[in-house]
Amino acid sequence: MKVIAAMSGGVDSAVAAARAVAEGHEVIGVHLALSSNPQKYRSGARGCCTVEDSHDARRAADVIGIPFYIWDMAEEFHEGVVENFISEYAAGRTPNPCLRCNEKIKFAAVLDRARAMGFDGVVTGHYARTRESSIGKTLHRAIDNSKDQSYVLSVLTVEQIQGAIFPLGDTHKVDIRKEAAERGLFVANKPDSHDICFVPSGDNAGWLRDRLGSEVGPIVDQSGKTLGEHRGAYTYTIGQRKGLGLTVPSEDGSPRFVLKIEPKSNTVVVGAREELAVNYIQGENPVWCGPAATSQETRGYVQIRAHGEALACTYSYRDNFLDVNLDAPLFGLATGQAAVIYDDDRVVGSATICLTR
Amino acid sequence: MSIYLDHAATTPMVAAAKRALADQMDKLGNPSSLHMYGRATRKDVEESREAIARAVACRPSEVIFTGSGTEANNTALKGLHWLRANEKRNLVVISEIEHHAIFDPAQWLADYEKAEVIKLPVLASGEIDLAFLRKLVTERGNEITVISVMHSNNETGTIQPVAEIVKIASGAQIPVHCDAVQSFGKVPLSFKDLGVTALTISAHKIGGPMGIGALILQHGLEIPALIHGGGQEREIRSGTLNTPSIAAFAAAASDAASAQAERASFVSKLREQFIAGAKAAIPDLIVNGSGEQLPGIINLTFPGTESDTLLLLFDAAGVACSTGSACSAGVHEPSHVLMAMGHSQVSAQSSLRFSLSYLNSESDVAEVIALFPSVISRARAANL
């Protein structure tokens, strides 16, 4: 096949491109420039589109022996990922930008462009697997559980999965580094990137404050009694316990957690841990990675964070909403996150959490 | 298929230049040394200087070797500004379509020397607006330290009215520098006839090696240096003379001069063939730049495409061309030249430069044109 390999400048995408070549594909390396004003250098594990990263990607492509180009996707990234990130926080929800990036950029803008140009698909260094089965090409967890990225790929449609190639899903990360060294890829020891690539300082709260302001508001208990002050409700996360700065202890002396963020009144509601218990999740705007779920109650697993646990559940889909009933309660769940449904290791689909109780 | 149509970026070294380079590598001697080894290489440097002087119609003593055309541009613009700047005179005039090798030093003068920089606008043809310049010189001529306008534009190939510019400037005794990197060897170029104060040329655009250029600077004019440490070149440029590259530069310059007219007429015909074929294949394309043109540069806008995509598709098909503009962090920015000519950001980013040389053939052109329909239609689909 003729494929585009998305190369971030990191070790994973470099090995993925090399493996695609080894499998006989005709590969062209592309680095996505996602920031119109990139930083020159990488600082530790933060950021992923510095000038230095694009240089590393180019050098990896040289070693692999494939053509290399840089595609400017800064505008698409800003509109589809960064603005969404800000508006979701402003609305009191907790978005996952990596998932949006896969949905809007890597397997949409890039894949569409690649296909129009005559390529068959896109290779990435994600840890996930695809498999041909009786229901078509399906998306599965990687064998390295600690690196599995199927969660952030759960927004891919059947058609997008058709054009996706994940050469790393059957290998453990430690072996990828070894392989990179054996292949002469000097990025073998480059640190993994963490955090949010467009917040190079790593200070998400500060970054959001710069964009959304830091209007002071009340921190209240469930009765509405003011306990303290916050600087921007969106810098809090449901379930957060630390950093509340409350001086008044709760009646029984037990710790207090963020229960709710009310963006309109700029209020943060806190309460006891039990109040965080969630037994039911409702998701909207679902994407199915294979056959859509039906109104029939089905046993499966749900995951609500990128590297969270798979929780046993019963799910169904009716009236445009995904309903998930958990076997055991879950504590601290923010709306805006994705609920990803698994059938064993297969990704069934995902939906954005809009309601919990 | 493997067709190189990016000769304005760089072009193959000619046989004479390769030979001169290799011969010099077998020689020992710093041309500044006084012993027989030094004298021998000094002789080669001076003969090379004379050859280049012949090719550009200047005195040998007016040739100052530099490490690149960019260095020559920096030396001229900053040097001429420093020479004349004072409290009342602090205005640097360049054009909107200069190469970054003039744009950036001008910006540096603004940032670090508090110079005022005015960029001359261009007409839709890509030629400098002479009326604007006339008015500027009339109103503020005594404030201008230097005017720098390129001989021909590297993206569109449009030749600039440099002799006219000199005429306007000389009335106010303003020195004119001219970046002639693209014109040298391609069209007749005479330092003497142009009447400019300083002129930049470079070796690798005419079949010489990379890393060697020259500033042609009027006899007797001493400008402050950028690089100090030995004063080898008229106290204006220091550093051990790069004898192998200088000899190869001279060989390439002689080669280019000897065949200039014949090659220009051949390449002009290829250009006509290319443009006619391109228009027939893609009727809505736009040819950028008009008026007097370099023989080899063709700049085309393909509405509804992105030049990055076009370049990838041509490259994959074995055709080397260029988006013709500077890269920032590898991301290609809309061409300031096309924008100055009235293009929008979008249409500027839908443009490609093909640059031909006498090394190309009619069949090269025909093969490339044959790719146009499929490449352009795929690029259009990818842009939706």
Side-chain angles (χ1 to χ4, degrees):
Chain A
M1 288 205 289
K2 272 178 71 175
V3 294
I4 294 283
M7 301 179 73
S8 67
V11 59
D12 294 328
S13 56
V15 173
R19 284 187 170 190
V21 171
E23 279 164 30
H25 298 303
E26 186 185 331
V27 183
I28 283 183
V30 166
H31 177 77
L32 304 176
L34 300 178
S35 165
S36 49
N37 188 17
Q39 296 207 312
K40 260 194 181 156
Y41 303 105
R42 208 182 143 84
S43 52
R46 296 210 168 100
C48 68
C49 43
T50 62
V51 174
E52 197 177 8
D53 287 315
S54 80
H55 174 82
D56 288 349
R58 180 186 298 279
R59 290 294 301 133
D62 290 344
V63 171
I64 299 163
I66 55 173
F68 176 83
Y69 306 93
I70 293 174
W71 282 4
D72 181 4
M73 293 267 169
E75 213 173 293
E76 290 90 339
F77 186 77
H78 189 82
E79 281 169 16
V81 180
V82 181
E83 279 178 4
N84 171 271
F85 182 79
I86 296 169
S87 65
E88 283 291 285
Y89 267 109
R93 291 189 288 265
T94 305
N96 183 320
C98 301
L99 192 131
R100 287 285 94 78
C101 180
N102 286 326
E103 180 188 27
K104 308 265 188 197
I105 309 294
K106 288 185 183 142
F107 298 95
V110 175
L111 181 60
D112 290 349
R113 191 166 169 186
R115 281 177 165 157
M117 290 167 79
F119 292 88
D120 304 304
V122 170
V123 175
T124 69
H126 285 113
Y127 285 82
R129 285 178 291 172
T130 57
R131 207 177 288 158
E132 293 295 342
S133 72
S134 56
I135 53 170
K137 190 175 173 187
T138 48
L139 178 65
H140 298 261
R141 286 190 190 276
I143 64 161
D144 186 341
N145 205 38
S146 68
K147 280 284 154 192
D148 174 48
Q149 288 173 304
S150 58
Y151 178 89
V152 290
L153 294 167
S154 63
V155 283
L156 303 194
T157 63
V158 173
E159 217 213 339
Q160 289 169 325
I161 292 168
Q162 205 60 42
I165 300 171
F166 305 123
L168 306 190
D170 63 353
T171 313
H172 285 89
K173 174 81 182 202
V174 50
D175 296 321
I176 294 296
R177 287 200 182 278
K178 265 188 234 157
E179 183 177 331
E182 282 159 18
R183 289 180 182 275
L185 294 163
F186 65 99
V187 289
N189 293 315
K190 196 170 166 176
D192 284 0
S193 51
H194 292 295
D195 301 328
I196 295 165
C197 71
F198 53 85
V199 185
S201 65
D203 174 15
N204 291 356
W207 190 92
L208 284 166
R209 239 178 252 129
D210 287 348
R211 281 147 188 90
L212 294 171
S214 47
E215 201 194 327
V216 170
I219 299 180
V220 302
D221 66 13
Q222 282 168 292
S223 69
K225 191 176 131 199
T226 300
L227 305 173
E229 262 186 0
H230 67 75
R231 289 172 53 224
Y234 43 80
T235 61
Y236 294 83
T237 312
I238 306 291
Q240 178 177 341
R241 176 182 165 190
K242 288 182 181 154
L244 299 178
L246 298 178
T247 48
V248 189
S250 63
E251 272 171 26
D252 60 0
S254 62
R256 278 181 294 220
F257 298 80
V258 174
L259 301 182
K260 215 155 105 184
I261 294 157
E262 292 172 350
K264 278 193 190 132
S265 60
N266 194 28
T267 302
V268 174
V269 183
V270 296
R273 182 172 188 270
E274 306 83 79
E275 302 293 335
L276 284 169
V278 167
N279 292 293
Y280 167 79
I281 299 168
Q282 190 176 64
E284 60 185 0
N285 305 321
V287 177
W288 306 111
C289 307
T294 64
S295 58
Q296 196 187 331
E297 305 268 325
T298 310
R299 292 291 296 164
Y301 294 90
V302 65
Q303 188 175 321
I304 50 95
R305 285 190 196 95
H307 295 286
E309 247 181 290
L311 309 163
C313 69
T314 301
Y315 66 89
S316 62
Y317 175 58
R318 63 172 76 90
D319 304 332
N320 298 322
F321 287 102
L322 173 73
D323 295 311
V324 181
N325 286 293
L326 297 165
D327 287 9
L330 174 70
F331 293 87
L333 176 54
T335 55
Q337 287 177 286
V340 179
I341 304 291
Y342 289 85
D343 170 12
D344 193 16
D345 76 346
R346 181 176 75 84
V347 183
V348 174
S350 67
T352 306
I353 299 171
C354 56
L355 182 86
T356 62
R357 61 174 178 254
Chain B
M1 193 193 295
S2 167
I3 298 176
Y4 187 81
L5 298 183
D6 201 16
H7 291 279
T10 198
T11 196
M13 270 178 80
V14 297
K18 286 191 255 187
R19 207 162 42 237
L21 194 66
D23 287 350
Q24 284 298 326
M25 285 177 166
D26 283 332
K27 290 194 184 176
L28 170 66
N30 184 326
S32 299
S33 296
L34 301 178
H35 44 61
M36 64 176 177
Y37 298 96
R39 284 196 305 277
T41 46
R42 168 57 68 177
K43 174 174 173 281
D44 293 340
V45 166
E46 295 313 321
E47 283 177 4
S48 300
R49 197 187 302 280
E50 287 158 15
I52 286 170
R54 277 194 299 278
V56 69
C58 70
R59 298 189 202 189
S61 62
E62 290 175 322
V63 177
I64 297 170
F65 289 112
T66 60
S68 61
T70 302
E71 187 195 326
N73 278 347
N74 271 267
T75 304
L77 195 76
K78 292 175 185 168
L80 288 167
H81 175 76
W82 285 329
L83 185 69
R84 290 166 42 86
N86 59 35
E87 276 171 18
K88 286 181 183 155
R89 187 157 51 209
N90 194 31
L91 174 58
V92 173
V93 177
I94 64 170
S95 82
E96 287 277 13
I97 59 165
E98 293 305 304
H99 189 276
H100 275 277
I102 285 293
F103 250 43
D104 296 356
Q107 188 58 49
W108 183 89
L109 286 171
D111 292 344
Y112 291 91
E113 302 283 318
K114 307 275 175 277
E116 182 187 352
V117 176
I118 289 182
K119 293 173 182 166
L120 302 171
V122 296
L123 310 171
S125 64
E127 288 166 302
I128 300 298
D129 184 346
L130 285 173
F132 185 99
L133 178 65
R134 256 184 222 109
K135 188 158 176 281
L136 182 66
V137 170
T138 306
E139 288 170 2
R140 302 186 61 187
N142 57 355
E143 294 174 52
I144 301 173
T145 55
V146 56
I147 297 173
S148 180
V149 174
M150 64 203 333
H151 194 270
S152 59
N153 184 266
N154 52 303
E155 294 185 35
T156 62
T158 301
I159 295 175
Q160 300 301 324
V162 178
E164 282 298 309
I165 292 166
V166 172
K167 216 180 283 172
I168 295 166
S170 64
Q173 282 88 47
I174 303 163
V176 176
H177 165 255
C178 177
D179 174 355
V181 163
Q182 288 296 342
S183 288
F184 181 46
K186 314 290 167 51
V187 290
L189 182 72
S190 161
F191 181 71
K192 200 173 96 222
D193 294 348
L194 271 183
V196 294
T197 310
L199 183 92
T200 293
I201 55 176
S202 172
H204 77 104
K205 309 286 191 190
I206 57 160
M210 294 173 180
I212 185 79
L215 177 66
I216 313 300
L217 181 68
Q218 234 167 47
H219 180 75
L221 183 62
E222 302 309 322
I223 57 174
L226 286 185
I227 297 175
H228 306 88
Q232 283 87 342
E233 289 287 89
R234 238 168 94 180
E235 301 288 337
I236 290 168
R237 206 272 185 176
S238 290
T240 299
L241 287 163
N242 181 354
T243 316
S245 294
I246 287 170
F249 185 5
S254 301
D255 174 83
S258 69
Q260 186 269 317
E262 182 196 329
R263 287 174 186 169
S265 121
F266 173 71
V267 177
S268 294
K269 284 201 190 94
L270 290 185
R271 184 175 188 275
E272 281 166 27
Q273 180 200 345
F274 193 106
I275 290 174
K279 278 181 173 166
I282 313 293
D284 63 342
L285 68 71
I286 300 159
V287 182
N288 297 308
S290 54
E292 209 189 333
Q293 293 284 316
L294 284 184
I297 292 184
I298 300 156
N299 193 304
L300 304 175
T301 298
F302 302 94
T305 68
E306 258 190 66
S307 42
D308 285 351
T309 309
L310 291 169
L311 190 132
L312 189 158
L313 291 169
F314 276 118
D315 192 14
V319 177
C321 56
S322 163
T323 54
S325 56
C327 293
S328 133
V331 172
H332 128 250
E333 298 193 329
S335 153
H336 65 275
V337 175
L338 297 180
M339 304 268 284
M341 287 163 65
H343 274 277
S344 68
Q345 191 162 326
V346 171
S347 70
Q349 275 186 310
S350 313
S351 308
L352 276 189
R353 178 188 72 183
F354 299 89
S355 48
L356 315 176
S357 99
Y358 68 93
L359 298 165
N360 292 118
S361 65
E362 284 177 17
S363 70
D364 285 350
V365 173
E367 282 184 65
V368 173
I369 295 298
L371 291 171
F372 268 47
S374 76
V375 166
I376 306 305
S377 71
R378 275 185 287 162
R380 282 182 173 157
N383 196 32
L384 293 176

